[in-house]
């Protein structure tokens, strides 16, 4: 499985948790730094971000891919729309949650959300 990480670096513990929850190893972890200019249009910046993905259309359509989204909702929404257009389906995403009971502050893997399954469920309820 390929993990496209648009967020903070993935720790070894987080990686192990993702692999356990997904039931398969991460063969390739691709970190794509995200830093947007709030004064510039986001559409252009989302397209620029997508152009930095080191995967071609065939890979996006055929390889098992998991996404760790950027935290800013506008970027995440735009990126998901772009990925859906390229992949032909919505990818699964990693949901992180903070652990307030830990010092120093850490994030843990909460779950993997299958967005395509969510979409298909919604289609049944139309």
């Amino acid at each position: 499985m390929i993990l496209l990480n648009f967020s903070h670096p993935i720790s070894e513990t987080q990686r192990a948790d993702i692999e356990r929850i997904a039931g398969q190893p991460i063969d390739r972890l691709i970190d794509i730094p995200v830093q947007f200019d709030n004064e510039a249009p986001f559409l252009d910046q989302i397209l620029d971000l997508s152009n930095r993905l080191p995967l071609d259309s065939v890979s996006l359509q055929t390889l098992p891919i998991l996404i760790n989204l950027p935290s800013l909702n506008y970027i995440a929404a735009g990126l998901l729309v772009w990925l859906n257009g390229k992949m032909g389906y919505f990818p699964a995403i990693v949901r992180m949650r903070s652990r307030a009971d830990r010092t120093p502050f850490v994030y843990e893997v909460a779950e993997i959300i299958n967005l395509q399954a969510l979409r298909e469920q919604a289609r049944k309820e139309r």
Side-chain angles (χ1 to χ4, degrees):
M1 162 178 67
I2 297 171
L3 174 57
L4 297 177
N5 179 33
F6 296 93
S7 192
H8 299 283
I10 301 292
S11 71
E12 287 302 317
T13 301
Q14 291 166 337
R15 183 180 181 132
D17 288 344
I18 291 168
E19 291 176 333
R20 180 182 49 77
I21 294 168
Q24 58 185 309
I26 296 170
D27 300 313
R28 186 172 173 200
L29 171 60
I30 302 172
D31 289 307
I32 301 115
V34 177
Q35 185 65 41
F36 276 32
D37 177 356
N38 279 317
E39 301 303 316
F42 272 26
L43 180 60
D44 294 339
Q45 294 179 83
I46 290 167
L47 293 173
D48 179 59
L49 176 64
S50 66
N51 286 331
R52 291 191 284 135
L53 288 179
L55 299 173
D56 62 16
S57 291
V58 172
S59 296
L60 287 170
Q61 293 175 62
T62 60
L63 298 176
I65 296 174
L66 181 62
I67 310 294
N68 188 29
L69 289 168
S71 57
L72 188 59
N73 60 341
Y74 307 107
I75 301 170
L79 182 61
L80 279 174
V81 169
W82 185 89
L83 285 166
N84 178 264
K86 284 296 222 182
M87 299 171 88
Y89 64 93
F90 283 102
I93 59 170
V94 178
R95 181 175 76 89
M96 299 286 201
R97 66 179 165 215
S98 62
R99 290 290 308 261
D101 62 334
R102 298 269 175 97
T103 303
F105 187 79
V106 296
Y107 283 94
E108 68 180 3
V109 179
E111 65 181 321
I112 293 175
I113 302 171
N114 183 335
L115 294 179
Q116 186 63 31
L118 181 60
R119 180 189 185 278
E120 290 168 8
Q121 181 63 38
R123 297 275 303 178
K124 291 178 187 174
E125 298 170 6
R126 279 177 34 169

